Every structure is written in structure tokens, then in C-alpha cells.
Amino acid sequence: MRCLRTDFFFKAMLICLSASAYSQEAVPPLYMDFRNQNIADIIYSVAEICGESVLIDETVTGTVTFRFEDKDFESALQRFAKQCQLYVEKDDGVYVISKVRIENHADGKLAVNTENVQVEPFLNMLSRYTNRTILFDSIPNAAVTIRAQEASLEDVLNLAIVKLPGFALERIADGYYITKSSGNLAKRNIDVFTVSEVGGRFSVNIQRAAFANVIDTLFKKGKKEYALLFRPNIQLEDMAYSGKEFDELLSLVLCQGGCDYTVSGGIYYIYEIQKKDIVKRFKETRIMQIRNMGIESLLALLPNELNASGFIKADKNSNSVILTGSSAEISPIEEFIQKVDVPVHGRVFRRFSLENIRASDAVSVIPKELLMSDIILLPSENGFVTQVTEESESRLFEFIRILDGKKQNRIVKLKYIKSSDLMNALPPSAGKDSITETNEPTLVFFTGTEAQFAEFSRDLQFLDRPRQQIKYQLLVLQRQKTDGMNWGTSVTAGDTDGDSGYTWSGMLSHIFSIQFDIISKFGIQFAGSLNAELSQGKSRVLADTTLSGISGESLRFSNTNTYRYRDIIVDTSGDLYTSTTREITSGLTLSISGWVSGDGMVTVTVDAQVSKQGSTDSSSSSSQGADTSVPPSTSEKKVSTHVRTKSGEPVAISGLFQQEEDISEKRVPGIGAVPLLGRLFKSRNATAAESEFVIYLVPFVQKEKERELTEEENLVRLMEKYGES
């Protein structure tokens, strides 16, 4: 079965092609085929192709299968309407199409013709045509066929609901209400009310009545048009008003029903509103200017029973309070304010104006001893008002005069920091609006008074300082824990003269070749022991250097070897392959980050990593150089620590143990690769060793400027460092 929607648009496309092909003819014929399509969609499609205007009301529903073979649109529409029981009228070039035809006779009777139309759209159309109110509950989907001549509106409505079980028709004022009830239909309460008009004045007396009926009767008496924008279900009770204007009486009735209205084009539009919005009409707002005290002082004096946030709001800019509520709610607050807002002997309010700075900036720096009450900022931000005495007024005027000095632009040359650093750490004496950056990172402009610039210059002395530098002496040793390693020995030592007393002498050839100051930091005994380890090959120096960096920044030191090999990838067929050169880095990597605290201590974060690369097949080395196809094995040890020490005090980091097993193979080129026989021409050697990596670090805080030592002072320093104890 073909898709109906696809078939519909396919047919429409064929129609467009046909219309284009016959565009030169006077009246192109219509050839259209619709299968099980919506009636309204069919009419709109044909009208669009033929360039005609149609208006289809809500009663036209359902689907149909139809084939057009007509010479023009009008004949096609008439034949289609006859098939679908539609009524067509042409009004000012527009075809009006409906499933219902209603005619109104002179005696008020109706002639109604419709077939298979839904009840709800039929009732809506009937209400519009007769200009009568027809209300109904939710109606189920049901279609009716009505052929009536000389019938009343009530007769037509009874015919319309005959297929709706449980529904009944009720008369309400000048309209009708189709209601659903279960069992026997309960009679509705009878409305008891009167609406009268005498000389343009209206009166109403309601015992109990539906809101909609009262409104409808009132508008009929007033001969005005209205529209209800909602479906009211409201009962009005016990109301009596007399001698009111129409709009006044309408407002009173709507107030009881929770509604309001607006007039547009002479029509009253009635809509529902919240009860709280109705209550707002009975509230009032009073503004009281406080003349003899600050608003904050007044709020502090208000008793708890009067200081309700819903009734009183403070406006600090105008030093006034806003009272909102009913007369009974806000009158006690107003009376209390009038009693406390009286002049204080010897105090008056004065205005202070400023020219060069904002009032809010000036208020923040005024000493409290110069103020007698709260400050009231003016809306223009160029001044404020406060209460003063004769003595405090002169002192405050003098302070404002100095503070409000003429602003000037001054060039500020930064010595050690950049302008971006200054903007990130502005002192209280300068705001972002007073500092202007330039393209030169060490040049800024300051805008302000002379006093402000002097205060900013004092603060800048503490900000524009060089960041302290830290010098790190670094020594990294690899100590052999077993006998698996041997790097060679070199020891030279001599005995001391027996008459030399308590002196010690020796030749520390290995120690003095190290830049790290081992003797002064760890003593003679440690230096001698280390010298012996170095001479016997039990220790090895991996790093001996001095690094310098700024406090707060990181340093990185590496002593590594890089091994490169080819990574070959062969496809599944074995015909093509690709290779990539990869790297393996092994050795020592050290990261140091330190900063100097205010007490001169140095906090250092150390991250150390030691990696070891295993050996490769040595046989290929002897024949074709290093093997670059198979990556060697690697091992890594990491340690991270966070220490705090004095400047010049050493820090030792140990615990980086490494166990190594190296297997090497030597073979005769060519014959050593022969299976079985090659074993006679090659040898394997396995070596196991355990080593420990120890890091010695000494941070020094460098002074801003160090004086060069004289020759005599330098000799004294050397004697204290290496001489007699």
C-alpha cells in the first residue's frame, strides 16, 4: 500500500508541472487525483494551483478520495462540494466553504441544513450566526445530520444533542447551556436579581445569581457591547447598589467576581484577575521626607510592631520613607515618624558638593569623628547631605576641600614589576579608574589629586620591589649497594706526621673536583667517606650544578640519554609496511620550585625521576651497528617531596632504590646466528646490581645587592670554611 502523504505531494507536483506546461493556454484544465486525503487540504491545494482564494470554516472535517478532471476551478469546486455535502458561496472574489447552511427567516425561525458535521464546531457556528450565547460542557466526538425548516434555536439545539447521552439543554437568561449530568437531571438554582436603569443611572439588587447572567443583563440595559475572555463559573450573592454610573456599577460587580475590564473600540473586554490585585485598589502610598535625622537612625528607632517590611521602604538617596498599605496600617507609622523627626538643638543639615571625585569615594574616607549623623548621597553623585554643628561643619568643609583637590595625570615608571602585575594587586589608595595602562609594560598613568598620588606612591614602594632570587646547589649521587658495578678506583692519601698533634691531612682528590660545598655542609667525616666511595667506584656523581631562579617559579634539570628505534607496522597481507621512529629517554629528571616566605625561610617542592634503560642484543651491534627495531626494557623511580628550610641549610632526598639485571650476549657475526651450532660461538653474561639515588639540595636566598669581599675578608672566609676547627 502506498504512503498516502507521499502520494498526495506527488500528485500535487504533477499538477504544478501540468500547469507550467499549459501556461500559454487561456484556461488550463485540471487533472488531479487524491486518495483518502483531508477535505480542507484538497481544497487548499487546488485553490493554490489555480490562484484562487478560499475560506474554510471549522465545520469542514473528514477525508475523501476524489479525482478532478475539470476545465476550471469553479466547476471543479462545485462538483467536489456536491460529492462532500459542502456549501459554497462567493463573497468579493473569495470562496466561503462550510458544511452548514443556516438561513434566518423574518419571524426568527431558522432553516438549517447540514450532514455529518461534528457537534462542537456546529454549536460554535450556530452561536455566531444567531448572536446568542450557547455554553456547553466538554462534548465527545459525535457527528449529526440536521434538516430543519421553520425551527427555533432551542429546537435546533435539541436536535444537535440528541446523540449525546446524558446531556441536557438548559435556558440561562438569554442564552443556553448544554450540560452533562448523571441519572436524573438536577434542576439549577433560579437566579434572583434585578437590574434597572433610570435617567442614565443604574441599580442592581442580587440575592443569588450567576455572574454571566448579571453581566449580560447589565450590558443589555446599558446598550453596550462586551466580550467575556474566560468561561465564568461564579455565583454572586447579596449585592445591592443604586444610582451608579454604568462603569462604576460594572467595576463593583466585577470586583465581586474577581474580574476587571478594558475598553477597546467601544467594546468592553472582561477578564479574570487575582484577588490580591483587587485588594491593591484599596491600598495607598505615602512618601515622607525625613528632615532632621538619617534614614538608618530612623529605622533603628522604629518599634518592632511598626517596622514591618511590607509597609515601609527606605530611600537612602532622598532620605525618605515610602509607606504602602491601608490607612489603618500606615497611619500609626506616619504618626510615630512625625513625633521623632524633630530638629536637634545646635544641629542643621548641610550639603557638601564635590567637583573632582565622586561623593561615594569621598564618603568612604571621611573620619567618623567628623560626622554627627548618617550621610545622604545625592542622586547626581556630586555631593552629599549630613547633619553638622557649627564646629564640625568647618572641619568637614576643610577636609572635603583637601580631599577634592584638582585631579592631575602623572607618569609612573615601574622598576621591577609590570603594569599587569600592578593591576592585579592594586593598593587601597588606587582604583582601576585611576590607573591607565600603556603599551609599555613598565609605564602607567595615575589620575588623581596630589594627596591621592602621595598615598599611592607610599603604597607602591611596597609593591614595586624585585622578586627574590633563589640559588640552588644541587648534587645527585648514585650509590652502589652491591658489588655488581665497578667504574674504576683512584685513591691518594698520606699519613700525618706523628708530631703534628690533633691535625688531620689527606688528599680528597675526588671531593675537590665537585662544585658542591660538601665539607662545609656535611663535615669532614662525610666528605672523607664520600671520597672513598668515589675512589672505589661505589658512588657516582650524576649531577653537580648550581641553578638560579626567581621565587615562586619552577626550574627543571635533566641529565638523560635518548634511545631511538623503528616501530614497524605490517598490514594483514604482509605486502605493505610502515615505520615510525620512536624515542625512549632515560636518566635523571629533576623539577624544583621554591619560594621565600616573610621570615626568610625557603619552601621547596622537589620532583625527581630516575629511569634506566636495559641492554640490547650486542650481536647485531658488532655486525650492523645498534639494533633499532626492538625497544629495550626501561625502569623508572619517582619521588616527590615538599620541604621547608633556612637559607643555606642542606636538604637530602633519598629512597630512590633501583634493582637492575643486565643480560648481554656476544656472538660471532654470521655463524653465531646459526641454530644449535651458533651456541658454540656466542656467550651470555648476566649482571645484578642494586643502587640508590641520593639528592642533596642547598637553597640560598640571594640578597638584592651583595657587597664584594676584600681579599682579606675572603681569606678569613676560606679559613673558617676549610681551616682549623
Side-chain angles (χ1 to χ4, degrees):
M1 182 177 179
R2 294 186 304 171
C3 178
L4 297 180
R5 180 62 62 184
T6 304
D7 183 72
F8 174 77
F9 286 104
F10 177 74
K11 294 296 183 180
M13 184 173 66
L14 289 178
I15 295 168
C16 294
L17 294 175
S18 300
S20 175
Y22 291 97
S23 59
Q24 302 299 326
E25 298 181 10
V27 181
L30 294 176
Y31 297 99
M32 305 170 64
D33 187 11
F34 297 91
R35 298 184 181 182
N36 197 25
Q37 297 297 320
N38 188 283
I39 295 176
D41 291 342
I42 295 174
I43 298 174
Y44 282 129
S45 299
V46 176
E48 182 177 2
I49 293 172
C50 297
E52 299 290 346
S53 299
V54 295
L55 179 61
I56 305 174
D57 66 17
E58 60 187 334
T59 63
V60 180
T61 58
T63 60
V64 70
T65 298
F66 191 83
R67 180 178 181 85
F68 287 90
E69 293 181 356
D70 302 274
K71 62 180 180 179
D72 56 24
F73 174 75
E74 186 168 353
S75 60
L77 182 60
Q78 292 297 334
R79 192 167 64 87
F80 183 73
K82 184 177 181 180
Q83 174 70 23
C84 299
Q85 296 86 40
L86 302 177
Y87 298 98
V88 181
E89 292 183 4
K90 192 171 184 180
D91 184 11
D92 196 18
V94 178
Y95 293 89
V96 181
I97 303 170
S98 176
K99 267 197 172 185
V100 179
R101 172 170 288 177
I102 303 175
E103 297 178 359
N104 195 357
H105 295 170
D107 57 354
K109 298 295 183 177
L110 299 176
V112 179
N113 283 282
T114 182
E115 183 174 341
N116 197 28
V117 67
Q118 293 291 322
V119 175
E120 185 170 341
F122 173 70
L123 295 177
N124 292 331
M125 184 175 180
L126 192 62
S127 176
R128 289 194 299 268
Y129 186 86
T130 60
N131 197 25
R132 300 282 291 276
T133 301
I134 301 176
L135 307 175
F136 48 85
D137 292 335
S138 179
I139 295 177
N141 290 330
V144 295
T145 299
I146 299 176
R147 309 289 186 191
Q149 302 291 331
E150 300 292 334
S152 65
L153 176 59
E154 185 172 347
D155 295 335
V156 175
L157 291 176
N158 282 319
L159 291 173
I161 66 174
V162 71
K163 292 181 65 176
L164 302 178
F167 281 80
L169 181 66
E170 298 182 34
R171 180 71 180 267
I172 301 176
D174 194 37
Y176 294 90
Y177 179 38
I178 300 174
T179 180
K180 180 177 176 60
S181 60
S182 59
N184 295 328
L185 183 63
K187 293 296 183 180
R188 297 176 59 87
N189 294 325
I190 300 175
D191 295 337
V192 181
F193 72 97
T194 59
V195 178
S196 59
E197 182 267 334
V198 178
R201 296 280 179 169
F202 294 83
S203 301
V204 63
N205 192 324
I206 303 173
Q207 295 184 16
R208 188 178 187 278
F211 172 81
N213 294 341
V214 174
I215 293 298
D216 186 69
T217 305
L218 178 61
F219 273 90
K220 286 183 176 179
K221 292 287 185 180
K223 297 180 181 179
K224 299 180 183 294
E225 296 178 317
Y226 75 99
L228 281 174
L229 302 182
F230 69 107
R231 292 186 176 183
N233 188 18
I234 305 169
Q235 292 291 327
L236 301 178
E237 296 181 357
D238 302 328
M239 293 176 56
Y241 302 104
S242 61
K244 305 294 184 183
E245 295 286 346
F246 178 83
D247 288 355
E248 183 182 5
L249 182 60
L250 177 62
S251 297
L252 293 172
V253 174
L254 294 180
C255 182
Q256 295 292 325
C259 302
D260 201 354
Y261 74 93
T262 184
V263 182
S264 177
I267 301 176
Y268 288 72
Y269 293 92
I270 300 174
Y271 51 88
E272 190 176 11
I273 62 174
Q274 299 293 327
K275 288 290 185 183
K276 62 181 181 180
D277 296 327
I278 299 176
V279 175
K280 292 178 182 178
R281 300 178 181 177
F282 304 102
K283 293 187 177 182
E284 58 179 309
T285 300
R286 303 175 189 174
I287 300 176
M288 296 187 65
Q289 183 76 38
I290 310 303
R291 303 184 180 279
N292 300 293
M293 65 175 62
I295 190 65
E296 293 182 355
S297 300
L298 172 65
L299 296 178
L301 293 175
L302 277 175
N304 292 332
E305 59 270 17
L306 297 180
N307 191 11
S309 59
F311 302 143
I312 183 170
K313 298 292 182 182
D315 183 5
K316 295 183 179 181
N317 292 331
S318 60
N319 201 50
S320 59
V321 293
I322 303 172
L323 305 178
T324 304
S326 64
S327 179
E329 292 171 335
I330 64 177
S331 293
I333 303 176
E334 184 178 27
E335 293 175 1
F336 177 83
I337 294 175
Q338 291 174 350
K339 291 180 180 179
V340 299
D341 186 26
V342 294
V344 180
H345 180 69
R347 296 185 184 181
V348 293
F349 275 94
R350 288 288 185 267
R351 171 174 176 166
F352 297 86
S353 300
L354 300 104
E355 296 180 357
N356 301 310
I357 61 175
R358 292 197 302 265
S360 57
D361 296 335
V363 167
S364 61
V365 297
I366 295 177
K368 292 184 178 180
E369 57 268 17
L370 296 181
L371 300 174
M372 310 300 296
S373 65
D374 300 331
I375 290 178
I376 306 167
L377 293 175
L378 299 178
S380 59
E381 294 190 356
N382 66 342
F384 61 91
V385 176
T386 187
Q387 200 175 60
V388 296
T389 62
E390 292 183 3
E391 180 182 359
S392 65
E393 181 180 4
S394 59
R395 294 170 56 194
L396 188 56
F397 266 120
E398 179 63 21
F399 182 86
I400 295 299
R401 184 188 65 80
I402 298 174
L403 187 65
D404 191 31
K406 185 177 181 181
K407 287 188 176 182
Q408 298 179 359
N409 292 326
R410 294 175 173 84
I411 299 176
V412 179
K413 186 72 174 178
L414 302 175
K415 297 180 181 179
Y416 305 105
I417 63 175
K418 296 186 295 185
S419 58
S420 58
D421 299 331
L422 175 63
M423 298 302 294
N424 292 331
L426 284 175
S429 57
K432 290 187 178 181
D433 54 347
S434 60
I435 301 296
T436 304
E437 294 184 85
T438 63
N439 293 332
E440 174 62 37
T442 60
L443 183 67
V444 296
F445 287 96
F446 177 84
T447 303
T449 63
E450 185 176 352
Q452 292 173 336
F453 180 72
E455 186 178 359
F456 171 71
S457 299
R458 289 193 298 269
D459 292 341
L460 190 60
Q461 294 178 2
F462 296 95
L463 295 176
D464 192 15
R465 289 185 174 183
R467 295 173 63 181
Q468 289 183 297
Q469 287 191 337
I470 306 176
K471 181 175 68 176
Y472 303 94
Q473 286 188 354
L474 178 66
L475 177 64
V476 182
L477 299 177
Q478 182 179 7
R479 286 181 168 174
Q480 180 182 347
K481 308 298 288 184
T482 64
D483 295 333
M485 298 182 183
N486 186 2
W487 292 300
T489 61
S490 175
V491 180
T492 303
D495 297 333
T496 60
D497 188 356
D499 298 333
S500 60
Y502 294 100
T503 62
W504 179 93
S505 65
M507 182 176 293
L508 303 177
S509 60
H510 292 82
I511 295 299
F512 285 112
S513 64
I514 299 176
Q515 297 181 13
F516 193 90
D517 193 356
I518 297 176
I519 297 177
S520 63
K521 299 304 178 186
F522 300 103
I524 294 296
Q525 292 183 354
F526 180 84
S529 175
L530 178 60
N531 184 77
E533 293 178 2
L534 293 173
S535 62
Q536 296 174 10
K538 293 185 177 182
S539 292
R540 181 183 178 187
V541 178
L542 296 183
D544 177 24
T545 184
T546 300
L547 305 175
S548 296
I550 298 176
S551 175
E553 295 185 357
S554 298
L555 297 176
R556 186 176 177 86
F557 174 80
S558 299
N559 185 6
T560 58
N561 296 319
T562 301
Y563 172 78
R564 296 176 177 86
Y565 68 96
R566 291 197 306 272
D567 187 5
I568 301 176
I569 303 174
V570 182
D571 65 358
T572 56
S573 63
D575 296 334
L576 299 175
Y577 70 91
T578 58
S579 63
T580 302
T581 301
R582 303 188 184 276
E583 297 181 350
I584 296 179
T585 302
S586 61
L588 173 67
T589 302
L590 192 65
S591 177
I592 305 172
S593 177
W595 64 280
V596 182
S597 59
D599 56 358
M601 299 289 286
V602 181
T603 303
V604 185
T605 300
V606 181
D607 294 313
Q609 175 179 315
V610 177
S611 57
K612 177 68 170 63
Q613 173 188 320
S615 62
T616 59
D617 189 359
S618 62
S619 62
S620 57
S621 174
S622 62
S623 60
Q624 299 176 356
D627 185 4
T628 59
S629 61
V630 179
S633 61
T634 59
S635 61
E636 293 182 349
K637 299 292 182 180
K638 297 181 181 180
V639 65
S640 179
T641 184
H642 193 69
V643 296
R644 190 167 184 262
T645 183
K646 293 182 180 180
S647 175
E649 293 291 334
V651 175
I653 303 171
S654 61
L656 287 170
F657 293 97
Q658 192 168 35
Q659 293 181 350
E660 304 172 355
E661 183 177 356
D662 291 342
I663 300 176
S664 61
E665 182 180 87
K666 296 182 179 180
R667 62 186 177 184
V668 177
I671 193 172
V674 177
L676 300 178
L677 181 62
R679 296 182 179 180
L680 300 176
F681 297 93
K682 63 181 178 181
S683 62
R684 295 171 63 90
N685 185 23
T687 303
E690 181 180 2
S691 60
E692 178 188 11
F693 293 88
V694 184
I695 302 170
Y696 298 99
L697 181 68
V698 182
F700 293 91
V701 179
Q702 295 181 340
K703 297 180 180 180
E704 296 181 6
K705 185 177 182 181
E706 295 183 353
R707 181 176 60 85
E708 295 184 0
L709 298 178
T710 63
E711 183 178 356
E712 182 179 357
E713 290 174 335
N714 193 34
L715 289 175
V716 172
R717 183 183 65 84
L718 293 175
M719 290 180 63
E720 292 176 350
K721 195 171 187 179
Y722 303 110
E724 298 179 354
S725 301

